[in-house]
Amino acid sequence: MRTPSRGGAGNGEPQAMDGPESRTPGGDSAARGRPRASTGSRADRPARAVAPWVRTRLRTAPGAAVAMAVLVVLTAYLAAAFPRSVDAYETNGLRHDIRTATAVERVLEISSAAFGPGVPRADREKTLRGAWVAQTQRKIVRGLPAPVRADEGSSAYGVRTSEPIEGTDPWLAAPDHLPPMFTLAAQAGLDSHSALREGRLPRADAPVTESTAEVEAAVTAATAESLHIEVGSVVHVPAAGRDEIGVRITGIVAPRDPDNSYWSFEPTLRTPALVAKQTDDRPQPRYWRAALLLAPDAAPVLLATAGEPQLYWRIAPDTTALTARDAPGLASRVASLKNGPELTELRTNVIGPVAVVATKLDDIVAGHRSMRAAIAPVVAVAALGIGAVAAVVLVMAGGLIAARRRAELALLRSRGGSLRGIGGRLLAETAVIALPAAAVGLALAVLSVPEARLLPAVAAAGAAALLACAALPVRAVVGHRRPLRHGDREDLVRARPSRRRTMAELTLLALAIGAVVALRRRGTGGPADSGGTGGLGDVDYLVSSAPVLVGLIAALVLVRLYPLPLRLAGRPAGRLRGAVGFLSLARAGRASSSGALPLLALLVALTTAAFGGSVLAGIDGARERAAVLATGADARISVGGTAPELPEGLAAAVRESPGVGEVTAVRVEYGVPLPSDSKGLETVPAVTMIGVEPKAYARLARQTGLGEFSADALKSVGGGGVRDGGPDRSRVLPAIASPAVAERLGDGPRDIRSAAGDFKVRVAGIHRDTPASPGTDYLLVNAADLTQRAPTTLLVGGAKLDGAALRRTVAGFGEGFSVKLRTEERRTFVNTPMQEGAERIYAAAIAAGAGYALLALLLSLSQTAPERVTLLARLRTMGLTTRQGRQLLGLEVLPQALLAAVGGALVGWATVVLLAPGVDLVRLALNATSDVTLEGAPLRADPWSLVLPAVGVLALAAAVSVVQAWWAGRQGSIKELRAGDSR
C-alpha cells in the first residue's frame, strides 16, 4: 500500500504513516511506504511519519474521547469510594460505640487492694501516696499493648475506700434519719478537672500517715448543697481502734466536664445519690451516698478506716487513632489484660499479685463486630449490583466505539493488519484516555472520603481503568477475528445461540440457583465458622451476588424469548392498513443480536434498585414498628408508680387537644403474681395486668397491628366485681394473655390477686403483643369486671398530634406525668455511623444504578441512531410524514424498552421474594443498645421501588425517540441519502 499524501485522503480514515510507523497494524511489509526521493546521506533514511496514530484518533473524535473520560472518571470514583466509604463508616462506628458507651463499660479499671498488715507500715503508706500511684500510672500507660491506647485527659487514678463509711455528725442531712455514707477518694488531677467555687483545694502539707487525726478534703457543689456542707465544716468518720478521723472541708468545686470519665465512672464523686436501704418497710428508708475528695498524699489515712482502701487506675481508651481493622486485635488485647499474659505482666512487674482488670470494652468490640457481620453482606449486595451495571456500561461504551469504527477496522484488517497490532493500537488509544481519568476518579474518592485505606481504593479504580482500556480492543478483536462479508445481518430474531453460549448460560443458571438456595438457608452472612473480622473480607460473595445472577439469568432468558412475540405480532401487523406498525416491528426484529448487553444492564440495574429500595423501605418500616412498640399508640400518657391513677377530667381534656383522634383509657398494673404451676413453683411477679374497655381497645389493637382481637372475647361477666355487697372472688373473667402467661395458666380458671381485685381468669385468646404493654408478658381483662378500675394510662391516637399542645394540656393537671409520642420515639432510633453509612451506600447504589441504566439505554439507542436517521430520510422521500416518523421511532424502541421495564420490575419482585427469607434488617434498623426488641424485620418488595425505575426506562426511551425524530426533521436529507455512504 502506498502512503497517501497529507491532503489526499478524503474518506475520513486516518492516514497511513511512512517508515516503521506507516505499516498497517501488524503488517510487516504489506503496507510499507516508499521512501521519498532524496540525495546524499538521506537517501536510505525512512520518511517521517505523517502523524502519530493516537493523536490523530483523539483529534478525529474529541467528543467521544471526552465522553469516555467522563464515564471512566465516574466509574473509577464510585469504585474507589466504595471500599473507602465502608472503611470510614466501620471505623466511625467502632469509635462511636466506644465513645457513647458508659464510662463503666469502656474504661479499663485496674485495681488492687492495699497491702495488708503483713507488710511494714512505712511500705504500706508509701504505696498509697500520690508519687507511687502516679509512677505506676505511667508504667501502665507505657505498657499498654497496641492497639489499646490511653486517653490521659479522661483517665483517673488514686486511692479510695471500696466500702462506704458512715458520717457520724448530726448536722449532716439524713432524710429518713439514716446517716449519710461516704466514699473517701484521693484521686489525682482534681485541679485540672474542676473549677474552684469556694475556698481552696485540699493539701497535705505535713506527711500523712495511718495515725493522722485530721485531713483536708473538697466536695462538689451538689454534695455541699444536698448534705448541708460548708467550707470549714469537719466531717467525722469512724476509725478502727482509735478516735474518729476528722475531714475538714477546705473547698467546694464544680466539675469542668461532668460527663468525662474522670467523674462519670463513679457518679457519686460529683453528685450525691439517695439510696434505699434494703428492709421490709414500705416505703424503704433512704440515705445519702456521697464522696469526700482528699489530696493524693493524704491517702495513707485510709488505712485507719474500715473502708478497705483500694488503689485504682482507670484508663479511658483513646479512639482517635483506632480503626475498624484494629477491632480483632483490640478484643484480643483486652482479653489478655483481663485474664491472660498482660495481666500476669501487671501482677508481676507493675502493681502486685492481687491486681484485677475489669472492663466491658471487649463486649463493646464484640457488639461492633456483630453489627459489621450483619451489615457487610447486605452492603455487598448493593456493591456487586452497581459494579455489574457499571461493568456492562463500560463494555457497551467500548462496543459503541467499535461499531462506529467497524468499517475502518475492517479496512485495516483487509489490508494486512494483524489482530495483535489492531488491538495494541486501540489499547493505546483507550489507555491514554482511561488511565488519567481513573487517576482523577481515584483522587476525587480520596479527597471526598478521608481516613480510609488507600490500597483497596487503588485496586478498585485500577480494575475500572483496566476494564475501560480492554473493552474496545477486545470487542474489536473478537468482532474482526474472521473476515466480515458486506451486508451481513446480525438480527436478534435470526440469531441462533451457539453451544458454547448455551453451556455458559447453563453454568450461570447453576450458580444463580446455588446462590439463591445458600442465601435462603443461611442468610446474607458468610460461613458460620468464619473467624474473620465481620467486614467485607468475610462476605460470601457468591451469596451476595444472587440478585446480579438472577438478573443475568433473566436477561439471557428474555433475549431467547424476545423473538417469539415479535414473530407473533409481525403477522397481524402486516395486515394493517398503515405501514408504521409493521415497519416498527420489523425494525425491532432487525436489532443487533448484541442487544443482550443493554438488556442485561437494565435488568441488573432495575433489580438492584428494587432490592435496594426494598431494603431502605424495610429499614424505615422496622423503625416505625419499633416506635409503635415503644408507645403502643401515637401518644402514651402515664404517671410513675406501680399502679397510680390518673386524675379525673384528664382524658376529656386530652380529647380536646389539637390533632387527637381517639383516647383509650386503660388500667395497667405491673408485677402481678401468677398462681403456682403444677409443680408448685411460684413465678416472679413480673406480669402486667391490663384492664380495658373491650371495643375501644380492640379498635386500637387493630389500628396498631398489636394483638388484634374481637371485643366479644372480653365480654363482661356482670356485677362489677361485687357480690352480696362484697368482692366477688369466685367470678371467672375471660382474659387474653401472652404465650408465656397462657402456658402457665392453662385451660382452667386460675386465681389472680391484684390491687384491682381478686378474681379468677380463664384464657380466651393468646397474642404476643398488646398496645398497653408491648413486648412483655401480660394479662388482658375487661375493666368493668374489676373492683378498682380507675385508669392509669391513656393511649392517644391521631395522625397529626401537636406534641407541645398535648404536653401543655397534661401539665395543667400537675407534675409527674410522662408523655411519649410515637414520632419522637421514631426519631430516637438514630443511626449509628455504620447504619448511616450502609444506608448512604444503598441510596448511592440506587442513584448510580439508575444513572447507569439510563446511560445503557442511551448507548443502545445511540448505536443505531445513524441508521434510524437514514431510514427516516429515505422514508420521507416515499411520503412518510413527520408524525409517522415519530411514531415509527417510538414504536421501534418500545419492544426492547417494554421488555426491559416489565422484565426488570418482575425480576426485581422475584429477587426480593426469593431472597427475603435470608435477609433480616433488624441490625440495619436498630442498634444494639435499643430498648425495643424486634423479633425480625423481613425484607418485603416495595412497590414504588419496582414501578418508578421501570416507568423511568419507558419515559426515557420515548423521550429519546422523540428527540431523534425532531432532530432528523430539522436536518436535510441530502447528507443522509448520499450514494456510497455505508449506514
Side-chain angles (χ1 to χ4, degrees):
M1 180 184 76
R2 184 178 297 275
T3 303
S5 64
R6 293 179 181 268
N11 55 2
E13 304 295 339
Q15 298 173 354
M17 297 172 285
D18 290 333
E21 295 190 9
S22 68
R23 301 171 184 172
T24 303
D28 294 333
S29 60
R32 185 186 300 274
R34 294 184 180 180
R36 298 178 181 176
S38 58
T39 58
S41 62
R42 296 171 57 92
D44 299 329
R45 187 176 301 173
R48 198 174 111 191
V50 175
W53 173 278
V54 174
R55 187 181 68 185
T56 302
R57 289 306 313 169
L58 294 179
R59 288 181 176 179
T60 301
V66 171
M68 186 66 178
V70 171
L71 177 61
V72 175
V73 167
L74 176 63
T75 306
Y77 170 77
L78 293 176
F82 170 71
R84 291 184 66 83
S85 298
V86 172
D87 265 2
Y89 77 63
E90 288 182 347
T91 294
N92 292 333
L94 178 59
R95 296 174 182 174
H96 172 271
D97 291 345
I98 295 177
R99 286 196 301 264
T100 57
T102 64
V104 175
E105 292 173 333
R106 70 175 182 270
V107 169
L108 281 162
E109 184 185 36
I110 305 170
S111 60
S112 175
F115 290 118
V119 178
R121 177 177 172 179
D123 293 340
R124 295 173 62 200
E125 293 174 349
K126 176 182 178 181
T127 58
L128 297 185
R129 289 195 171 93
W132 191 90
V133 179
Q135 181 183 8
T136 305
Q137 165 77 2
R138 291 190 291 270
K139 290 181 180 179
I140 293 173
V141 171
R142 286 197 302 266
L144 287 175
V148 182
R149 303 175 182 88
D151 180 3
E152 299 194 43
S154 299
S155 300
Y157 57 92
V159 185
R160 63 186 290 272
T161 54
S162 58
E163 295 295 331
I165 304 174
E166 177 182 324
T168 60
D169 300 283
W171 52 267
L172 292 170
D176 293 323
H177 306 291
L178 293 177
M181 305 296 289
F182 289 101
T183 295
L184 274 61
Q187 184 162 292
L190 181 62
D191 55 343
S192 60
H193 288 88
S194 65
L196 189 64
R197 289 286 184 86
E198 188 178 347
R200 61 174 176 81
L201 293 178
R203 298 194 298 259
D205 295 331
V208 176
T209 65
E210 184 178 351
S211 59
T212 301
E214 183 177 293
V215 293
E216 297 181 354
V219 294
T220 62
T223 302
E225 181 180 359
S226 299
L227 276 75
H228 309 156
I229 297 176
E230 300 176 351
V231 173
S233 300
V234 178
V235 179
H236 294 86
V237 296
R242 66 180 182 89
D243 295 338
E244 293 180 327
I245 300 173
V247 181
R248 182 174 298 277
I249 306 303
T250 63
I252 297 176
V253 299
R256 297 183 187 274
D257 183 6
D259 294 329
N260 190 289
S261 58
Y262 180 93
W263 296 103
S264 60
F265 186 92
E266 190 173 357
T268 53
L269 293 180
R270 67 168 191 259
T271 308
L274 278 173
V275 180
K277 186 176 182 180
Q278 299 301 314
T279 66
D280 295 333
D281 299 333
R282 291 295 182 271
Q284 293 178 330
R286 299 177 300 173
Y287 62 91
W288 283 108
R289 279 288 305 271
L292 303 177
L293 307 175
L294 280 63
D297 286 336
V301 76
L302 301 182
L303 293 171
T305 70
E308 299 182 9
Q310 178 190 67
L311 296 94
Y312 63 89
W313 297 266
R314 295 165 182 168
I315 311 299
D318 183 8
T319 61
T320 54
L322 198 63
T323 68
R325 302 296 156 185
D326 295 329
L330 180 61
S332 175
R333 295 295 183 270
V334 170
S336 177
L337 281 167
K338 292 176 69 174
N339 191 14
E342 301 295 341
L343 178 60
T344 302
E345 175 68 18
L346 286 174
R347 289 175 172 177
T348 305
N349 300 322
V350 181
I351 299 174
V354 293
V356 177
V357 178
T359 184
K360 293 184 179 179
L361 184 59
D362 49 347
D363 295 335
I364 298 173
V365 177
H368 165 79
R369 296 175 67 184
S370 174
M371 179 167 283
R372 284 178 65 190
I375 288 178
V378 183
V379 171
V381 172
L384 291 173
I386 189 59
V389 178
V392 172
V393 170
L394 284 177
V395 173
M396 286 182 62
L400 176 60
I401 298 175
R404 291 290 179 87
R405 298 175 60 180
R406 180 178 180 181
E408 169 198 342
L409 299 177
L411 177 62
L412 292 175
R413 186 78 171 116
S414 66
R415 294 183 177 180
S418 68
L419 293 177
R420 178 183 299 179
I422 293 174
R425 294 212 172 187
L426 293 178
L427 179 62
E429 288 181 33
T430 52
V432 169
I433 301 171
L435 294 181
V440 171
L442 174 62
L444 292 175
V446 172
L447 293 176
S448 60
V449 187
E451 295 188 20
R453 293 177 299 164
L454 181 62
L455 186 58
V458 172
L466 179 62
L467 182 60
C469 291
L472 174 59
V474 172
R475 288 294 297 271
V477 169
V478 171
H480 293 272
R481 66 186 184 278
R482 294 188 181 91
L484 301 178
R485 293 178 297 178
H486 180 70
D488 275 355
R489 289 172 55 180
E490 297 180 352
D491 297 0
L492 190 61
V493 172
R494 292 189 176 187
R496 296 293 180 268
S498 64
R499 293 183 179 179
R500 291 182 179 178
R501 175 180 167 181
T502 301
M503 292 302 299
E505 292 176 358
L506 291 175
T507 303
L508 290 174
L509 177 61
L511 287 174
I513 293 174
V516 170
V517 171
L519 192 148
R520 287 174 65 91
R521 285 184 175 178
R522 70 167 183 255
T524 52
D529 57 351
S530 176
T533 65
L536 286 175
D538 298 317
V539 172
D540 189 334
Y541 285 98
L542 175 61
V543 174
S544 296
S545 64
V548 176
L549 293 174
V550 171
L552 176 60
I553 295 302
L556 297 176
V557 171
L558 290 177
V559 167
R560 283 181 174 267
L561 297 179
Y562 178 63
L564 181 59
L566 289 181
R567 293 194 187 107
L568 295 177
R571 294 176 182 176
R575 302 189 185 100
L576 298 177
R577 293 183 59 185
V580 174
F582 176 76
L583 284 174
S584 61
L585 290 175
R587 289 284 305 162
R590 293 193 63 178
S592 173
S593 59
S594 61
L597 276 180
L599 183 61
L600 172 61
L602 290 172
L603 285 181
V604 174
L606 294 178
T607 302
T608 303
F611 190 86
S614 298
V615 167
L616 297 180
I619 292 172
D620 188 68
R623 289 174 179 168
E624 287 290 341
R625 178 73 175 176
V628 172
L629 288 174
T631 58
D634 293 318
R636 184 186 186 96
I637 302 172
S638 59
V639 65
T642 56
E645 298 178 359
L646 297 175
E648 294 185 5
L650 178 60
V654 169
R655 286 189 180 92
E656 301 300 324
S657 183
V660 173
E662 187 171 358
V663 177
T664 304
V666 298
R667 179 180 180 85
V668 181
E669 184 177 340
Y670 300 99
V672 175
L674 291 179
S676 60
D677 56 15
S678 59
K679 298 180 180 180
L681 300 176
E682 293 290 337
T683 62
V684 177
V687 177
T688 304
M689 192 189 73
I690 308 164
V692 302
E693 195 286 310
K695 291 184 179 180
Y697 194 79
R699 286 195 302 270
L700 177 63
R702 183 170 58 254
Q703 292 168 0
T704 58
L706 298 176
E708 182 178 350
F709 67 96
S710 172
D712 294 336
L714 297 180
K715 187 176 180 179
S716 174
V717 298
V722 178
R723 181 180 180 183
D724 298 331
D728 183 8
R729 293 184 174 86
S730 63
R731 67 191 188 278
V732 180
L733 308 185
I736 294 176
S738 62
V741 175
E743 182 180 2
R744 171 55 62 91
L745 294 178
D747 298 330
R750 304 299 297 272
D751 291 320
I752 297 294
R753 297 179 180 272
S754 69
D758 298 340
F759 48 88
K760 297 178 183 291
V761 296
R762 178 184 284 112
V763 177
I766 302 174
H767 293 284
R768 186 177 300 277
D769 290 309
T770 192
S773 185
T776 63
D777 289 331
Y778 68 91
L779 192 64
L780 189 67
V781 297
N782 192 328
D785 296 325
L786 299 177
T787 306
Q788 300 293 332
R789 60 181 69 95
T792 64
T793 302
L794 297 181
L795 300 176
V796 184
K800 297 182 180 179
L801 285 176
D802 187 341
L806 185 62
R807 285 191 170 91
R808 286 194 299 269
T809 300
V810 174
F813 287 82
E815 298 180 352
F817 291 97
S818 170
V819 180
K820 296 174 65 176
L821 299 181
R822 179 184 56 80
T823 53
E824 293 178 353
E825 290 296 318
R826 170 65 178 82
R827 288 194 290 268
T828 61
F829 299 120
V830 293
N831 286 337
T832 64
M834 288 186 66
Q835 292 169 322
E836 287 182 353
E839 288 191 42
R840 281 198 302 268
I841 285 180
Y842 256 99
I846 293 173
Y852 277 118
L854 299 181
L855 186 57
L857 186 59
L858 289 176
L859 289 174
S860 175
L861 297 176
S862 299
Q863 185 167 348
T864 57
E867 186 178 354
R868 285 198 298 273
V869 172
T870 302
L871 174 66
L872 279 182
R874 291 172 179 171
L875 291 177
R876 281 200 203 97
T877 63
M878 302 178 188
L880 189 73
T881 64
T882 303
R883 180 180 179 183
Q884 289 175 327
R886 287 196 293 266
Q887 292 176 350
L888 176 62
L889 291 185
L891 292 175
E892 179 185 342
V893 300
L894 180 62
Q896 288 202 42
L898 189 63
L899 179 69
V902 176
L906 292 177
V907 172
W909 172 81
T911 300
V912 172
V913 171
L914 285 173
L915 306 184
V919 179
D920 191 357
L921 303 176
V922 170
R923 299 308 299 272
L924 278 169
L926 306 177
N927 54 49
T929 60
S930 175
D931 295 331
V932 179
T933 301
L934 287 179
E935 294 186 358
L939 181 67
R940 293 185 177 91
D942 179 44
W944 290 109
S945 301
L946 296 174
V947 174
L948 287 182
V951 172
V953 169
L954 291 175
L956 181 66
V960 170
S961 63
V962 170
V963 170
Q964 282 187 346
W966 171 79
W967 181 256
R970 289 178 55 89
Q971 303 297 316
S973 301
I974 302 300
K975 179 180 178 181
E976 305 300 334
L977 298 177
R978 287 183 303 178
D981 276 2
S982 58
R983 296 183 181 273

